[in-house]
Amino acid sequence: MGDDRQSRTTAPAAAERARSVLIAAWSCAVTADGIREELVGAHTVTDDGRVLLHVPEDSALLAAALCAPRGEPSAVLEFADVAPVPVRNRIRARLRLAGWFSVQDGHLLLRPTRVVLRRPSGAVTVDPGEFAAAVPDPLAAAEARLLTHLADCHADAVERLTRLVDPGSLHGAVRVRPLAVDRHGLTLRIERVRADGDVRLPFHAPADDVAELTERMHVLLSRASAASCPRPLQRQRADRDG
């Protein structure tokens, strides 16, 4: 995936991004004591970033934790951040938590001692203390619904927003889709025949809820309406309509 210049604007810090991946993910892969299981809809997160896995009573992971010589076996949890809108290369990030399991009320509780967030731009190790103190993005839980609605019902608005993109980033573009949104801005995926690139449209101020996000999007669209249509998309539109 390309590294367009506009992708390096204001964005969540790594610890906040990691907590957002964790709260929005629906599934995870768990490895402990030589056992690996794929769990779906089985985890919740405490305020300080510990992960509680709701596993069946006959889970091999639970048995391993109960029978561990030291009482707390080491474990690794892996989460994938998947774009809700269909695009090529849908994995936006991967989160890996390593730590120790303990048993709490018949479930497994992971205390992360190592946190690694891997994005297309590279991997970053997040300090466990910063991870524990970080607050997930306030839009993380609603992001999938918001982006799907934008892509399915407002394709014209997405096209209009490309007027805010550097024309050089649109060279060779065949499709533009909303890839991500957070309190700091909207990210668009520019799909080309042989490569992709992402561009970020920052908001003028952070959005702390959906109502504020609506206002921030209206500001972006107003700015886009006042801008001229990029030539690459003018040609695409002419070819499509012709």
Side-chain angles (χ1 to χ4, degrees):
M1 212 164 24
D3 182 19
D4 289 322
R5 180 176 59 188
Q6 292 185 356
S7 67
R8 296 193 294 268
T9 56
T10 303
E16 179 184 344
R17 185 76 186 92
R19 289 293 299 271
S20 298
V21 170
L22 185 58
I23 198 172
W26 182 244
S27 64
C28 67
V30 185
T31 305
D33 198 28
I35 300 167
R36 184 176 176 86
E37 291 188 6
E38 301 281 342
L39 301 179
V40 178
H43 76 277
T44 56
V45 188
T46 65
D47 290 342
D48 61 357
R50 292 176 297 166
V51 182
L52 185 64
L53 296 178
H54 304 270
V55 296
E57 293 182 358
D58 60 353
S59 168
L61 291 171
L62 182 59
L66 290 171
C67 299
R70 297 183 180 179
E72 292 189 345
S74 61
V76 174
L77 273 58
E78 298 169 280
F79 300 84
D81 175 32
V82 182
V85 174
V87 293
R88 293 182 301 206
N89 303 317
R90 291 183 70 173
I91 303 297
R92 302 181 300 188
R94 294 185 185 276
L95 177 65
R96 181 184 176 94
L97 305 179
W100 301 93
F101 268 152
S102 60
V103 179
Q104 178 175 299
D105 298 328
H107 301 295
L108 295 172
L109 183 69
L110 180 85
R111 295 182 289 107
T113 57
R114 181 174 172 80
V115 180
V116 178
L117 179 67
R118 186 177 298 277
R119 294 175 285 192
S121 58
V124 58
T125 299
V126 180
D127 178 80
E130 293 181 4
F131 177 77
V135 177
D137 187 273
L139 303 176
E143 184 195 24
R145 172 176 57 84
L146 294 169
L147 286 182
T148 300
H149 178 75
L150 179 61
D152 293 347
C153 302
H154 299 286
D156 57 332
V158 175
E159 182 173 331
R160 196 188 325 163
L161 288 171
T162 61
R163 300 180 183 184
L164 302 177
V165 176
D166 184 338
S169 297
L170 294 171
H171 182 71
V174 296
R175 188 172 72 159
V176 179
R177 302 280 276 172
L179 178 71
V181 69
D182 55 62
R183 66 193 302 261
H184 299 288
L186 173 72
T187 301
L188 300 178
R189 165 65 55 81
I190 311 298
E191 293 188 347
R192 306 180 182 93
V193 174
R194 296 185 178 179
D196 305 320
D198 300 337
V199 294
R200 189 166 175 81
L201 303 179
F203 298 142
H204 67 275
D208 291 330
D209 53 38
V210 174
E212 290 189 358
L213 172 65
T214 300
E215 188 274 337
R216 305 301 188 262
M217 289 295 297
H218 283 162
V219 171
L220 283 182
L221 288 168
S222 295
R223 287 175 50 207
S225 296
S228 59
C229 183
R231 290 183 180 180
L233 290 191
Q234 286 179 341
R235 290 195 294 270
Q236 290 177 35
R237 187 182 299 159
D239 293 341
R240 181 187 63 203
D241 297 340

